Amino acid sequence: MGETGHPVETEEQPEKQLPPVRWDDRLEKVLDEWHRRVWASQLAHYRRATKLRRANIFLGLPVTTLTAVVGTSLFATLNEQQLPTALRITVGSISVAASVLSAIQTFFGFAQRADKHVLAADWYAALRRRIEEIRAMPKQARGDARKVLDDIRREMNTVSSTFPQIGEPDWRRAAAEFGIKEPPRRGR
């Protein structure tokens, strides 16, 4: 703030322009590595989505079935004056089991999590195709290697920070399939 209480206008310094970088074998290796990482991430996210959808069905079918059994039993016994105790305990137990399974299904949010992994996989797929397009171009037609790689890196970072992680076992499996070497983890 200036002496008058108004903001002091400062002259903006122009960003320092770095000279363009030409594509060489080292940068080609980086692009190839990122291509494999993006593809492995795409595959791992689709696999995680499939597992989560299976879990949702695994819990969803019993919930639906048990709820239908309870509803039918209650409807069928509306006119009965005297219900056997065993039947009331059975219907009550089924109702509790359906409620517990439904709560578990809701708590874990398998369907919603699966949808997020599909979105991540789709984004990685689009990024993979973009890298494939860049790799298919002659080196001189790709433009500044620094800018191209910076854009890809930023997008990879955005995807990985926007969506849920796939978990280490799933990543290790996908990384191994694509020949991605990870540095050793500490303590192992």
Side-chain angles (χ1 to χ4, degrees):
M1 294 281 201
E3 293 176 334
T4 62
H6 297 316
V8 175
E9 291 189 32
T10 58
E11 207 174 296
E12 287 188 27
Q13 297 294 323
E15 264 189 50
K16 185 178 178 182
Q17 293 291 332
L18 297 172
V21 175
R22 295 176 158 233
W23 289 93
D24 60 18
D25 290 342
R26 189 175 42 87
L27 295 176
E28 285 292 323
K29 280 182 147 178
V30 170
L31 192 62
D32 180 60
E33 171 74 15
W34 287 2
H35 178 255
R36 288 184 288 121
R37 282 184 175 278
V38 164
W39 204 344
S41 296
Q42 173 193 347
L43 177 66
H45 276 284
Y46 279 136
R47 285 179 179 160
R48 172 57 62 189
T50 299
K51 289 177 184 178
L52 291 167
R53 284 190 177 129
R54 284 184 188 143
N56 189 54
I57 290 170
F58 180 75
L59 281 176
L61 286 176
V63 167
T64 304
T65 303
L66 293 174
T67 305
V69 167
V70 169
T72 304
S73 299
L74 291 176
F75 185 73
T77 59
L78 281 177
N79 292 330
E80 300 229 4
Q81 298 294 332
Q82 192 70 351
L83 291 175
T85 303
L87 179 60
R88 286 191 294 193
I89 290 173
T90 302
V91 170
S93 297
I94 292 173
S95 177
V96 168
S99 296
V100 168
L101 289 175
S102 178
I104 290 170
Q105 186 178 26
T106 301
F107 177 77
F108 284 111
F110 295 122
Q112 295 83 359
R113 288 172 46 208
D115 289 344
K116 288 179 182 179
H117 282 287
V118 167
L119 289 173
D122 289 348
W123 195 339
Y124 277 119
L127 186 53
R128 176 185 53 81
R129 289 188 298 272
R130 184 168 151 216
I131 293 171
E132 288 168 353
E133 179 182 19
I134 292 165
R135 291 173 71 196
M137 291 180 192
K139 290 180 183 179
Q140 65 275 13
R142 295 178 185 173
D144 180 10
R146 179 190 335 268
K147 181 178 177 347
V148 171
L149 291 175
D150 279 350
D151 289 346
I152 292 169
R153 179 187 40 78
R154 279 191 204 101
E155 192 165 353
M156 288 170 66
N157 292 344
T158 300
V159 179
S160 69
S161 65
T162 302
F163 294 101
Q165 300 299 306
I166 52 177
E168 188 174 337
D170 289 339
W171 170 249
R172 295 256 180 230
R173 176 180 172 205
E177 289 177 37
F178 285 86
I180 298 168
K181 304 288 187 236
E182 292 288 349
R185 294 189 60 196
R186 288 184 171 171
R188 285 194 175 184

